[in-house]
Amino acid sequence: MELEERVAALERRIAALESTAGGAAGRGTESATRSAAGSTAEAADRPGPVATTDSPLWALEGLKAQLAADAGDRGEDGAVVFTGTVRLPTRERYEWQLGAFTGQLFEEDWADAAESFAALGHPVRLRLLREILGGRRTAAELAELEETGTTGQIYHHLRQLTGAGWLRTVGRGRYEVPGPRVVPLLVVLTAARP
């Protein structure tokens, strides 16, 4: 079974578990899945699922149940799942999920992620991303901000973020965080919190 099929099966099982535990995950909201093969994100006009189960670890429990049910088929020792639903100040909505088996993660070359992490490794770049998500889309608008540097420095940071895929240009001189990168960016920021 391909990874995308396994992740889709995992999503269905977790949704079923949440529904039986009193969760609202089965309400028919759109979701997007990112796998090793590629990524997509969809905007949705309605709110995403909200956990209403008594357990604070409802997602982990669902993942463990899925792994236990499928352990004999693949012999996997673990998996990770990241997911999120976001409404930006600009009213755009993104929902996203990524799942991977730990065996696969340990086989991959982690050096491939270095450029993406390096692009996030500067406070001004993180500020620019936050401002762009908040609705400031042009270099001129970003240059008006305090403590972001000169216009040349701002363009340098924008090039770094664009080269790593955290930004893309849309129209002349306008930038946006690509839809498939909105929730992953927030997941990385959440994981980096002390």
Side-chain angles (χ1 to χ4, degrees):
M1 195 184 308
E2 294 295 316
L3 178 63
E4 289 182 30
E5 293 170 351
R6 292 186 295 198
V7 171
L10 179 62
E11 291 172 359
R12 286 190 299 276
R13 300 275 308 261
I14 289 173
L17 286 170
E18 290 172 346
S19 294
T20 59
R27 292 192 301 198
T29 59
E30 295 178 43
S31 65
T33 302
R34 179 175 181 263
S35 70
S39 63
T40 62
E42 299 173 42
D45 294 328
R46 52 196 181 273
V50 176
T52 58
T53 181
D54 292 336
S55 172
L57 300 175
W58 56 271
L60 176 60
E61 290 168 3
L63 176 62
K64 287 168 49 177
Q66 175 67 37
L67 283 170
D70 294 341
D73 297 340
R74 288 185 299 279
E76 291 292 339
D77 289 329
V80 293
V81 174
F82 299 97
T83 188
T85 179
V86 177
R87 183 180 306 261
L88 298 177
T90 57
R91 307 298 296 158
E92 297 162 298
R93 182 170 196 78
Y94 298 97
E95 295 183 337
W96 176 91
Q97 180 170 317
L98 167 67
F101 292 105
T102 53
Q104 172 194 0
L105 292 172
F106 285 119
E107 292 173 5
E108 292 177 0
D109 183 3
W110 292 3
D112 293 342
E115 181 183 356
S116 186
F117 284 125
L120 297 177
H122 194 286
V124 171
R125 290 186 200 137
L126 293 174
R127 170 101 187 269
L128 294 175
L129 285 168
R130 186 182 73 206
E131 296 294 337
I132 290 168
L133 284 174
R136 294 179 196 259
R137 300 295 171 99
T138 67
E141 291 172 323
L142 297 168
E144 294 172 358
L145 300 170
E146 292 184 24
E147 300 179 16
T148 56
T150 66
T151 303
Q153 290 169 326
I154 290 171
Y155 275 111
H156 167 77
H157 291 306
L158 292 172
R159 275 192 305 276
Q160 293 291 110
L161 292 166
T162 302
W166 292 110
L167 285 179
R168 69 176 170 206
T169 55
V170 289
R172 188 175 174 112
R174 294 181 57 80
Y175 294 87
E176 72 178 11
V177 176
R181 297 301 290 253
V182 171
V183 176
L185 173 62
L186 298 176
V187 166
V188 169
L189 290 169
T190 303
R193 292 170 72 184

